[in-house]
Protein backbone atom coordinates (compact mmCIF):
# COMPACT_ATOMS: atom_id res chain seq x y z
CA UNK A 1 0.00 0.00 0.00
CA UNK A 2 1.07 3.58 -0.66
CA UNK A 3 0.23 5.75 2.34
CA UNK A 4 0.27 9.54 1.97
CA UNK A 5 -0.13 11.69 5.07
CA UNK A 6 -0.58 15.48 5.27
CA UNK A 7 1.43 16.23 2.13
CA UNK A 8 1.53 19.82 0.95
CA UNK A 9 3.71 21.29 -1.78
CA UNK A 10 4.18 24.78 -3.13
CA UNK A 11 6.27 26.57 -5.72
CA UNK A 12 7.01 30.10 -4.58
CA UNK A 13 3.75 31.44 -3.23
CA UNK A 14 1.63 29.04 -5.30
CA UNK A 15 0.19 26.07 -3.42
CA UNK A 16 0.19 23.00 -5.68
CA UNK A 17 -0.94 20.40 -3.13
CA UNK A 18 -2.74 21.15 0.11
CA UNK A 19 -2.73 18.67 3.02
CA UNK A 20 -3.18 15.50 0.95
CA UNK A 21 -3.87 12.29 2.90
CA UNK A 22 -4.57 9.16 0.89
CA UNK A 23 -4.29 5.39 0.95
CA UNK A 24 -3.70 3.80 -2.47
CA UNK A 25 -4.95 0.19 -2.37
CA UNK A 26 -2.48 -2.60 -2.98
CA UNK A 27 -2.73 -4.80 -6.08
CA UNK A 28 -5.26 -2.55 -7.84
CA UNK A 29 -5.34 -0.03 -10.67
CA UNK A 30 -5.88 3.45 -9.23
CA UNK A 31 -6.60 6.36 -11.57
CA UNK A 32 -5.87 9.96 -10.64
CA UNK A 33 -8.27 12.25 -12.48
CA UNK A 34 -9.04 15.94 -12.48
CA UNK A 35 -8.64 19.09 -14.59
CA UNK A 36 -5.29 20.51 -15.65
CA UNK A 37 -3.42 21.97 -12.70
CA UNK A 38 -5.12 19.73 -10.15
CA UNK A 39 -1.78 18.45 -8.83
CA UNK A 40 -1.93 14.89 -10.15
CA UNK A 41 1.54 14.79 -11.71
CA UNK A 42 3.09 16.59 -8.75
CA UNK A 43 1.66 14.00 -6.38
CA UNK A 44 3.11 11.21 -8.52
CA UNK A 45 6.51 12.93 -8.55
CA UNK A 46 6.53 13.25 -4.76
CA UNK A 47 5.66 9.59 -4.28
CA UNK A 48 8.51 8.60 -6.61
CA UNK A 49 10.96 11.08 -5.02
CA UNK A 50 11.40 12.99 -8.27
CA UNK A 51 10.48 16.04 -6.20
CA UNK A 52 11.52 16.51 -2.58
CA UNK A 53 8.79 16.39 0.04
CA UNK A 54 8.25 19.73 1.73
CA UNK A 55 5.83 18.51 4.39
CA UNK A 56 4.03 15.32 5.34
CA UNK A 57 5.08 11.73 4.69
CA UNK A 58 4.84 9.15 1.92
CA UNK A 59 5.27 5.48 2.69
CA UNK A 60 5.64 2.88 -0.09
CA UNK A 61 5.09 -0.49 1.53
CA UNK A 62 7.57 -0.48 4.40
CA UNK A 63 9.75 2.26 2.90
CA UNK A 64 9.53 5.86 4.07
CA UNK A 65 10.21 8.11 1.08
CA UNK A 66 13.04 10.52 1.88
CA UNK A 67 14.69 8.20 4.38
CA UNK A 68 15.32 5.14 2.20
CA UNK A 69 17.97 5.22 -0.53
CA UNK A 70 17.06 5.96 -4.15
CA UNK A 71 18.26 2.50 -5.15
CA UNK A 72 16.11 0.79 -2.52
CA UNK A 73 13.03 2.77 -3.55
CA UNK A 74 13.71 1.98 -7.23
CA UNK A 75 13.57 -1.73 -6.42
CA UNK A 76 10.03 -1.29 -5.08
CA UNK A 77 8.56 1.51 -7.19
CA UNK A 78 8.95 2.59 -10.83
CA UNK A 79 7.63 5.68 -12.57
CA UNK A 80 6.97 6.63 -16.18
CA UNK A 81 6.88 10.46 -16.37
CA UNK A 82 4.98 12.38 -19.02
CA UNK A 83 8.14 13.02 -21.02
CA UNK A 84 10.98 10.54 -21.23
CA UNK A 85 14.21 11.33 -23.07
CA UNK A 86 15.34 8.44 -25.21
CA UNK A 87 17.80 7.94 -28.05
CA UNK A 88 15.75 7.12 -31.17
CA UNK A 89 18.32 4.63 -32.44
CA UNK A 90 18.13 2.50 -29.32
CA UNK A 91 16.54 -0.87 -29.93
CA UNK A 92 13.41 -1.96 -28.10
CA UNK A 93 15.41 -4.45 -26.07
CA UNK A 94 18.05 -1.86 -25.13
CA UNK A 95 15.46 0.54 -23.75
CA UNK A 96 13.59 -2.17 -21.82
CA UNK A 97 16.94 -3.28 -20.38
CA UNK A 98 17.35 0.09 -18.67
CA UNK A 99 14.66 -1.02 -16.23
CA UNK A 100 17.15 -3.44 -14.67
CA UNK A 101 19.72 -0.80 -13.71
CA UNK A 102 18.62 -0.48 -10.03
CA UNK A 103 19.68 -4.12 -9.62
CA UNK A 104 22.80 -4.62 -11.72
CA UNK A 105 24.20 -1.05 -11.61
CA UNK A 106 25.67 -1.45 -15.10
CA UNK A 107 26.69 -5.11 -14.87
CA UNK A 108 23.71 -7.16 -16.11
CA UNK A 109 23.49 -10.79 -15.11
CA UNK A 110 21.51 -13.73 -16.47
CA UNK A 111 18.53 -12.92 -14.24
CA UNK A 112 18.42 -9.40 -15.69
CA UNK A 113 18.28 -10.80 -19.21
CA UNK A 114 15.47 -13.14 -18.15
CA UNK A 115 13.54 -10.23 -16.69
CA UNK A 116 13.89 -8.29 -19.94
CA UNK A 117 12.75 -11.31 -21.98
CA UNK A 118 9.74 -11.66 -19.69
CA UNK A 119 8.81 -7.99 -20.06
CA UNK A 120 9.06 -8.18 -23.85
CA UNK A 121 6.77 -11.20 -23.86
CA UNK A 122 4.18 -9.72 -21.47
CA UNK A 123 3.91 -6.54 -23.54
CA UNK A 124 3.86 -8.32 -26.90
CA UNK A 125 7.21 -6.88 -27.98
CA UNK A 126 9.37 -9.98 -28.46
CA UNK A 127 9.14 -9.79 -32.26
CA UNK A 128 10.17 -6.12 -32.16
CA UNK A 129 13.09 -6.56 -29.75
CA UNK A 130 15.80 -5.52 -32.24
CA UNK A 131 13.80 -2.78 -33.94
CA UNK A 132 14.95 0.83 -33.34
CA UNK A 133 12.55 3.03 -31.40
CA UNK A 134 12.15 5.50 -34.24
CA UNK A 135 10.73 2.73 -36.42
CA UNK A 136 7.80 2.15 -34.04
CA UNK A 137 4.33 3.61 -33.91
CA UNK A 138 3.34 5.87 -31.00
CA UNK A 139 1.40 3.06 -29.37
CA UNK A 140 4.32 0.65 -29.69
CA UNK A 141 6.75 3.17 -28.18
CA UNK A 142 4.43 3.67 -25.24
CA UNK A 143 4.30 -0.06 -24.63
CA UNK A 144 8.10 -0.23 -24.77
CA UNK A 145 8.39 2.49 -22.13
CA UNK A 146 5.95 0.74 -19.82
CA UNK A 147 7.69 -2.59 -20.46
CA UNK A 148 10.88 -0.92 -19.21
CA UNK A 149 9.04 -0.08 -15.98
CA UNK A 150 7.73 -3.64 -15.78
CA UNK A 151 11.25 -5.04 -16.23
CA UNK A 152 12.24 -3.03 -13.16
CA UNK A 153 10.25 -5.68 -11.29
CA UNK A 154 8.65 -3.36 -8.76
CA UNK A 155 5.42 -3.95 -6.89
CA UNK A 156 4.33 -0.37 -7.55
CA UNK A 157 4.15 1.21 -11.02
CA UNK A 158 3.35 4.91 -11.49
CA UNK A 159 2.33 6.06 -14.97
CA UNK A 160 1.81 9.73 -15.80
CA UNK A 161 -0.64 10.16 -18.69
CA UNK A 162 0.44 7.11 -20.71
CA UNK A 163 -2.54 7.50 -23.06
CA UNK A 164 -1.29 10.81 -24.45
CA UNK A 165 -1.08 10.79 -28.25
CA UNK A 166 -2.72 7.36 -28.55
CA UNK A 167 -5.76 6.77 -30.73
CA UNK A 168 -8.79 4.99 -29.31
CA UNK A 169 -7.58 1.53 -30.34
CA UNK A 170 -4.15 2.08 -28.79
CA UNK A 171 -5.60 3.55 -25.60
CA UNK A 172 -8.10 0.72 -25.11
CA UNK A 173 -5.48 -1.91 -25.80
CA UNK A 174 -3.00 -0.37 -23.37
CA UNK A 175 -5.53 0.03 -20.55
CA UNK A 176 -6.71 -3.56 -20.95
CA UNK A 177 -3.10 -4.72 -20.86
CA UNK A 178 -2.38 -2.73 -17.69
CA UNK A 179 -5.41 -4.23 -15.96
CA UNK A 180 -4.18 -7.70 -16.95
CA UNK A 181 -0.66 -6.90 -15.70
CA UNK A 182 -2.03 -5.71 -12.37
CA UNK A 183 -4.14 -8.82 -11.88
CA UNK A 184 -1.75 -11.47 -13.19
CA UNK A 185 1.46 -10.05 -11.76
CA UNK A 186 0.16 -8.50 -8.52
CA UNK A 187 1.12 -4.97 -9.48
CA UNK A 188 -0.20 -1.83 -7.83
CA UNK A 189 -0.61 0.62 -10.71
CA UNK A 190 -1.27 4.33 -10.23
CA UNK A 191 -2.11 6.09 -13.47
CA UNK A 192 -2.86 9.73 -14.27
CA UNK A 193 -5.69 9.97 -16.80
CA UNK A 194 -7.42 12.91 -18.45
CA UNK A 195 -10.35 10.94 -19.87
CA UNK A 196 -12.76 10.08 -17.07
CA UNK A 197 -14.34 7.31 -19.15
CA UNK A 198 -11.07 5.35 -19.32
CA UNK A 199 -10.78 5.69 -15.56
CA UNK A 200 -14.37 4.57 -15.08
CA UNK A 201 -14.06 1.63 -17.46
CA UNK A 202 -10.68 0.23 -16.40
CA UNK A 203 -9.69 1.45 -12.92
CA UNK A 204 -10.55 -0.35 -9.70
CA UNK A 205 -10.21 2.85 -7.68
CA UNK A 206 -10.45 6.52 -8.65
CA UNK A 207 -9.04 9.56 -6.89
CA UNK A 208 -10.49 12.87 -8.14
CA UNK A 209 -8.41 15.99 -7.55
CA UNK A 210 -8.96 19.69 -8.01
CA UNK A 211 -6.78 22.66 -7.04
CA UNK A 212 -4.37 20.49 -5.10
CA UNK A 213 -6.98 18.77 -2.96
CA UNK A 214 -8.79 15.44 -3.06
CA UNK A 215 -12.45 15.95 -3.90
CA UNK A 216 -13.59 12.31 -3.96
CA UNK A 217 -12.25 8.76 -4.02
CA UNK A 218 -13.75 5.33 -4.39
CA UNK A 219 -14.80 2.84 -7.03
CA UNK A 220 -16.12 4.18 -10.35
CA UNK A 221 -19.69 3.26 -9.44
CA UNK A 222 -19.34 5.09 -6.12
CA UNK A 223 -18.00 8.44 -7.28
CA UNK A 224 -18.62 8.97 -11.01
CA UNK A 225 -21.86 10.93 -10.81
CA UNK A 226 -23.37 14.32 -11.51
CA UNK A 227 -21.88 15.82 -8.33
CA UNK A 228 -18.35 14.82 -9.37
CA UNK A 229 -18.76 16.28 -12.86
CA UNK A 230 -20.14 19.52 -11.45
CA UNK A 231 -17.73 19.98 -8.53
CA UNK A 232 -14.50 18.74 -10.14
CA UNK A 233 -14.91 19.32 -13.87
CA UNK A 234 -17.48 22.16 -13.87
CA UNK A 235 -19.74 20.46 -16.38
CA UNK A 236 -23.25 19.05 -16.31
CA UNK A 237 -22.70 16.27 -18.84
CA UNK A 238 -25.12 13.37 -18.77
CA UNK A 239 -24.10 9.97 -17.36
CA UNK A 240 -25.37 6.60 -18.50
CA UNK A 241 -24.52 3.13 -17.20
CA UNK A 242 -23.28 0.33 -19.46
CA UNK A 243 -22.98 -3.06 -17.78
CA UNK A 244 -22.86 -1.26 -14.45
CA UNK A 245 -20.06 1.11 -15.53
CA UNK A 246 -20.86 4.86 -15.42
CA UNK A 247 -20.01 6.51 -18.75
CA UNK A 248 -19.99 10.27 -19.31
CA UNK A 249 -21.71 11.32 -22.54
CA UNK A 250 -19.80 13.92 -24.51
Amino acid sequence: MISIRNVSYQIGSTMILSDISLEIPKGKVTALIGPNGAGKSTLLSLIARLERLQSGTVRVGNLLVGECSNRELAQHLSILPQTLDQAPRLSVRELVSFGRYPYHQGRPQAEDNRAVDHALTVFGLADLAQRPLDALSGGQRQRVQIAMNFAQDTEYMLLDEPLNNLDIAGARSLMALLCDVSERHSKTIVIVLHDINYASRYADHIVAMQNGTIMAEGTPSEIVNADLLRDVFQTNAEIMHVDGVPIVLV
Side-chain angles (χ1 to χ4, degrees):
M1 177 183 296
I2 298 176
S3 179
I4 301 162
R5 287 286 175 268
N6 307 116
V7 168
S8 295
Y9 187 83
Q10 64 185 77
I11 299 175
S13 60
T14 302
M15 187 65 69
I16 308 300
L17 296 174
S18 181
D19 197 26
I20 297 289
S21 291
L22 177 66
E23 301 282 349
I24 295 177
K26 186 176 180 180
K28 303 293 185 182
V29 176
T30 294
L32 303 183
I33 64 171
N36 290 335
K40 306 180 296 295
S41 295
T42 299
L43 181 58
L44 231 59
S45 294
L46 291 171
I47 296 171
R49 205 176 178 178
L50 299 183
E51 300 287 349
R52 183 180 294 274
L53 281 166
Q54 296 175 345
S55 65
T57 61
V58 175
R59 189 175 294 275
V60 178
N62 295 322
L63 300 179
L64 188 61
V65 174
E67 293 191 1
C68 63
S69 69
N70 287 339
R71 183 180 183 185
E72 188 175 17
L73 183 62
Q75 292 178 0
H76 290 80
L77 179 146
S78 61
I79 183 168
L80 178 69
Q82 286 188 43
T83 57
L84 182 66
D85 293 333
Q86 51 185 273
R89 297 308 300 175
L90 282 177
S91 72
V92 168
R93 184 180 183 84
E94 286 170 335
L95 184 62
V96 174
S97 297
F98 287 158
R100 299 301 302 167
Y101 188 80
Y103 301 92
H104 62 60
Q105 299 287 288
R107 295 183 177 181
Q109 306 297 316
E111 65 180 288
D112 299 302
N113 292 327
R114 286 194 293 269
V116 171
D117 288 338
H118 181 52
L120 292 170
T121 298
V122 168
F123 283 83
L125 298 166
D127 290 342
L128 303 176
Q130 302 308 319
R131 187 171 297 184
L133 297 177
D134 60 359
L136 302 180
S137 68
Q140 289 170 332
R141 283 194 297 271
Q142 200 73 309
R143 274 194 289 142
V144 173
Q145 292 172 348
I146 299 174
M148 176 180 64
N149 282 48
F150 182 83
Q152 197 170 322
D153 195 23
T154 60
E155 182 177 355
Y156 304 92
M157 297 174 62
L158 312 184
L159 309 174
D160 196 354
E161 299 188 26
L163 304 189
N164 276 2
N165 303 316
L166 297 186
D167 60 23
I168 186 171
R172 291 181 70 244
S173 174
L174 182 56
M175 287 304 300
L177 178 56
L178 290 173
C179 289
D180 186 68
V181 165
S182 175
E183 181 177 354
R184 289 178 178 269
H185 302 279
S186 301
K187 302 293 185 182
T188 300
I189 297 177
V190 185
I191 180 169
V192 172
L193 294 174
H194 268 300
D195 192 319
I196 190 173
N197 284 335
Y198 282 109
S200 189
R201 169 65 178 83
Y202 293 102
D204 302 298
H205 190 77
I206 295 177
V207 177
M209 300 179 65
Q210 184 193 57
N211 295 328
T213 63
I214 295 174
M215 300 292 289
E217 63 169 308
T219 65
S221 61
E222 289 172 339
I223 73 164
V224 178
N225 51 41
D227 291 341
L228 181 80
L229 296 182
R230 182 188 64 245
D231 297 340
V232 175
F233 295 97
Q234 283 77 57
T235 185
N236 59 355
E238 184 180 352
I239 296 174
M240 67 178 297
H241 288 76
V242 179
D243 295 331
V245 177
I247 299 296
V248 179
L249 302 183
V250 295

